[in-house]
Amino acid sequence: MRSTTAVAVLTTVTVALADVVSLDSSKRGLCYVKGENAADDAIWDNANGTLTWYYNYQAQPTSGIDDRLQFVPMLWGTNGQNSGFYKTVKGLIDGGRKIEYVLGFNEPDGCSN
């Protein structure tokens, strides 16, 4: 009896939360490396598309991409090759580019990380 009641309560709570929390989002992004597949470029870099942001594994945006797509820079660890990351991103912001987020990652299984 208790397990039946618990299941009923959990089901009711789950349904109620599903009504409150919308899973729809207007934010759509992708990893975008222009030129790797020219046929894809016409789809992703389209003024009528639903994408709103992109990243390209770099601190600098990809040239030629419509400015309506928000660029999200990516930081690759803290080793010496990223020493100019802050200056690059700050320069983009100071130059008028809207940057609200930065991507980073951690790969603890990699021997060199």
Side-chain angles (χ1 to χ4, degrees), residues 14-102:
T14 302
V15 170
L17 286 176
D19 287 339
V20 174
V21 179
S22 172
L23 299 179
D24 294 335
S25 173
S26 61
K27 295 180 181 181
R28 288 174 175 69
L30 83 151
C31 178
Y32 190 98
V33 182
K34 192 170 181 79
E36 285 195 2
N37 187 340
D40 288 347
D41 291 346
I43 297 169
W44 307 131
D45 196 9
N46 177 342
N48 297 322
T50 60
L51 294 175
T52 58
W53 64 275
Y54 78 99
Y55 74 100
N56 62 1
Y57 300 110
Q58 306 297 320
Q60 288 279 358
T62 302
S63 64
I65 292 184
D66 191 331
D67 285 340
R68 72 176 180 77
L69 293 177
Q70 184 178 5
F71 174 66
V72 180
M74 184 174 204
L75 175 63
W76 285 68
T78 58
N79 60 16
Q81 71 187 31
N82 292 307
S83 60
F85 181 82
Y86 173 78
K87 289 179 184 177
T88 299
V89 173
K90 183 163 179 3
L92 291 169
I93 293 169
D94 292 346
R97 184 168 289 270
K98 181 182 175 185
I99 295 178
E100 296 179 10
Y101 304 99
V102 171

